[in-house]
């Protein structure tokens, strides 16, 4: 009798476990995001796809992928006359096979550039426009029809002016306009974005960007949207009213907005209170995405704390993504889902 009862309990637990798993799959972020026409994304490296738990979570929960590093110059164009598409191709193939969209990141950034390029600086015999145009043409052509949106320019601004990057110094401020045009020419269907950090609120940097973008649009330069990165720290929370006002003014220009690199780093020991605060910020961000039709994507900069750049670069074990190191959803996951599933 006792044996029977014991077996019954085991069976009950087991069948409920299965139900829980089924439920999770059926009620994934991806499923709700699709119903709301929202792209829910994350940034990845191709090697992470070999981690079965990672790949399963990725397929189940997300419909948008950003290659975290493999499309940056230092990886894809590390030799002057050669391109290495291998790592990025693996990511793009995985995405397309699993019905996900790809965000190309990035055609221009001031960091992670190859030695051969940096060495050319100040060489007056070099035609820098040709080098940039050739890079953009080759990469965009390779991914034509496969990359849904490009971060054409990443982090071009510094406080209230242009950042004095390699391309700014060697081509001039027009490099932005030219890069957008070259990208559009190569793949007219790809959506083109300018992506930056610390432009989420109304401040001198977002004011400068607003003027810059207004000017580009008045000249009919192809541009579809702005990427707001949202790399946040728990203790420096944003003024959400200012964020919303800022979103509205860019939307009024006819642009889309994507949240492109969300993470909410916590310092010190991780407590329930910190997790709750973090979850509340995630929720507030998702409320904005859900509220505005043209805020079309929400991407976290990494899927699980296991692989976050913040762990790698700052040795902080609490980088604030929505899955922990074991791929268990955190409170933030449930909070954003709560908003995503609203009608
Ligand atoms: C920026 C870049 C990303 C990423 C992060 C972290 O936000 O846009 O590509 O590298 O920094 O390093």
């Amino acid at each position: 009798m006792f044996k029977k009862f014991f077996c019954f309990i085991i069976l009950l637990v087991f069948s409920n476990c299965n139900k829980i798993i089924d439920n999770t799959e059926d009620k994934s972020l991806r499923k709700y995001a699709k119903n709301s026409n929202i792209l829910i994304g994350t940034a990845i490296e191709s090697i992470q796809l070999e981690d079965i738990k990672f790949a399963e979570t990725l397929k189940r929960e997300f419909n948008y992928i950003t290659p975290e590093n493999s499309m940056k110059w230092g990886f894809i164009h590390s030799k002057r006359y050669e391109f290495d598409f291998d790592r990025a191709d693996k990511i793009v193939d995985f995405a397309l096979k699993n019905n996900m969209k790809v965000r190309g990141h990035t055609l221009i950034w001031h960091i992670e550039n190859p030695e051969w390029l940096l060495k050319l600086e100040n060489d007056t015999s070099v035609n820098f426009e040709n080098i940039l145009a050739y890079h953009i043409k080759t990469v965009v052509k390779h991914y034509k029809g496969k990359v849904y949106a490009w971060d054409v320019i990443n982090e071009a601004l510094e406080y209230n002016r242009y950042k004095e990057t390699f391309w700014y110094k060697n081509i001039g401020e027009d490099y932005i306009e030219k890069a957008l045009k070259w990208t559009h020419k190569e793949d007219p269907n790809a959506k083109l974005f300018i992506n930056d950090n610390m432009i989420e609120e109304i401040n001198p940097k977002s004011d400068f960007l607003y003027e810059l973008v207004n000017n580009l649009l008045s000249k009919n330069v192809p541009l579809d949207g702005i990427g707001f990165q949202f790399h946040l720290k728990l203790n420096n929370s944003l003024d959400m009213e200012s964020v919303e006002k800022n979103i509205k003014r860019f939307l009024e220009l006819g642009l889309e907005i994507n949240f492109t690199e969300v993470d909410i780093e916590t310092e010190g020991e991780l407590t329930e209170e910190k997790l709750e605060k973090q979850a509340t910020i995630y929720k507030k961000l998702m409320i904005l995405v859900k509220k505005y039709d043209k805020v079309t994507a929400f991407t976290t900069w990494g899927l699980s704390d296991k692989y976050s750049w913040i762990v790698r670069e700052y040795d902080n074990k609490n980088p604030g993504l929505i899955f922990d190191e074991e791929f268990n959803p955190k409170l933030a996951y449930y909070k954003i889902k709560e908003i995503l599933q609203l009608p």
Side-chain angles (χ1 to χ4, degrees), residues 15-27 60:
S15 61
N16 273 337
C17 275
N18 278 342
K19 264 191 209 135
I20 291 167
I21 292 166
D22 282 354
N23 263 350
T24 317
E25 283 178 3
D26 194 37
K27 297 179 179 170
R60 189 184 67 231

Side-chain angles (χ1 to χ4, degrees), residues 232-237 264-267 273-275 277-279 281:
L232 305 178
K233 289 191 196 252
L234 195 66
N235 291 331
N236 304 340
S237 46
I264 308 175
E265 186 181 352
T266 56
E267 266 138 17
E273 198 189 340
K274 286 182 187 169
L275 282 171
K277 195 170 165 197
Q278 184 186 73
I281 301 173

Side-chain angles (χ1 to χ4, degrees), residues 19 31 90 94 125-126 147 207 218 231 276 291 298:
K19 264 191 209 135
K31 179 133 190 196
K90 282 197 184 115
F94 178 91
S125 68
V126 174
V147 162
D207 285 347
S218 72
H231 285 293
E276 268 171 37
K291 183 166 172 187
F298 184 103

Side-chain angles (χ1 to χ4, degrees), residues 68-69 72 105 109 154-155 229 231 261 301 309 313:
E68 185 171 343
N69 288 300
K72 291 173 183 166
H105 177 87
W109 195 30
N154 190 33
E155 299 181 346
Q229 290 187 0
H231 285 293
E261 306 189 16
W301 204 247
W309 69 286
E313 283 184 32

Side-chain angles (χ1 to χ4, degrees), residues 166-203:
F166 180 89
W167 299 110
Y168 179 83
K169 284 189 269 176
N170 291 298
I171 299 182
E173 62 185 57
D174 280 0
Y175 83 93
I176 294 182
E177 173 174 341
K178 287 182 171 143
L180 287 161
K181 287 181 178 160
W182 292 325
T183 309
H184 182 67
K185 189 166 175 225
E186 214 46 56
D187 187 355
N189 293 323
K191 289 187 185 251
L192 309 190
F193 281 75
I194 292 178
N195 191 48
D196 218 317
N197 59 11
M198 297 198 271
I199 52 159
E200 296 87 359
E201 294 171 305
I202 296 201
N203 58 30

